[in-house]
Amino acid sequence: MFCEKTVYYRLIASILGDVGVVWLFEGDTPVIVCVQLPRKDVPTTGILRENYPDVTEGLHKDLEETFEYIGAFLEGRYVNFSMKYVKIDQCHDFQRRVLLETMQIPWGSVTSYGDLAKKISAPGAARAVGSALAKNPFPLIIPCHRVVKSDGSVGQFGGGAELKKALLRLEGVQIDDRERIAPAFFR
């Protein structure tokens, strides 16, 4: 029997632009399936509708804390996101391991792609780690912006390098005039 699921979104306004959170129900439980970062060239709702054509705006009381935490994070306040309503099981095993380890990087700190690969017992898999992070469906909640190149440069980011630097700066990470992060911020 085919069961069509309604997909919902919530926009969270910030100085960086609108962040979209996409969610649906699994049984009676709301689950977040995507966090869409803002882009300068396309409105967030346009991106959401492209990826989820029938998406509709909606709220749910169980997700309000997550929405508030995203807003607080985007104001530069420390938050500790819960994974309770995040549909991490939509990610394949390697990506899930990468994302869960990324959750362990403290606020205001960074680690390198290579060091993250070592922490998940996959030394030499820095590029695979980068690929897994590039497909992170939950940026901000899972802070992939905290993973940078070993030389201190920020590296790639789905929302663009400028957004990645802005998110790091919100956490107090200093980026010098050569666009490098000081070793003191590495964990």
Side-chain angles (χ1 to χ4, degrees):
M1 178 173 165
F2 177 76
C3 180
E4 191 173 323
K5 291 189 178 195
T6 302
V7 180
Y8 301 92
Y9 76 92
R10 168 83 185 268
L11 287 183
I12 301 160
S14 78
I15 61 169
L16 302 174
D18 290 338
V19 172
V21 180
V22 178
W23 61 278
L24 51 80
F25 283 101
E26 282 194 344
D28 293 335
T29 305
V31 290
I32 296 169
V33 295
C34 173
V35 174
Q36 178 61 56
L37 296 175
R39 288 195 207 149
K40 291 184 182 213
D41 56 341
V42 181
T44 302
T45 52
I47 300 166
L48 296 178
R49 291 190 192 294
E50 182 178 313
N51 294 320
Y52 305 92
D54 296 326
V55 70
T56 185
E57 195 164 8
L59 303 174
H60 194 280
K61 63 180 176 54
D62 291 347
L63 300 177
E64 280 305 311
E65 181 176 83
T66 302
F67 300 150
E68 289 172 15
Y69 279 9
I70 290 172
F73 177 87
L74 293 167
E75 291 173 356
R77 292 187 277 153
Y78 170 81
V79 295
N80 187 15
F81 288 105
S82 166
M83 294 294 288
K84 182 176 181 179
Y85 297 107
V86 175
K87 190 167 171 49
I88 190 76
D89 63 347
Q90 73 186 13
C91 302
H92 60 78
D93 181 60
F94 181 80
Q95 183 183 33
R96 191 168 41 250
R97 288 181 19 228
V98 169
L99 296 179
L100 291 174
E101 188 61 39
T102 301
M103 291 286 299
Q104 305 308 310
I105 305 168
W107 169 272
S109 301
V110 297
T111 195
S112 71
Y113 297 99
D115 284 345
L116 187 58
K118 289 175 194 169
K119 288 180 182 173
I120 63 163
S121 301
R127 285 181 188 229
V129 163
S131 292
L133 291 172
K135 297 174 185 149
N136 175 10
F138 315 107
L140 303 182
I141 294 173
I142 297 179
C144 56
H145 62 277
R146 294 181 189 154
V147 185
V148 300
K149 290 185 168 186
S150 59
D151 69 358
S153 58
V154 297
Q156 300 296 312
F157 189 63
E162 291 307 311
L163 181 57
K164 185 171 186 176
K165 288 186 268 188
L167 293 170
L168 290 168
R169 287 183 178 116
L170 281 174
E171 295 186 27
V173 174
Q174 295 174 0
I175 301 168
D176 67 22
D177 55 0
R178 297 176 328 150
E179 301 290 315
R180 300 272 196 257
I181 297 165
F185 291 97
F186 279 79
R187 298 285 179 262

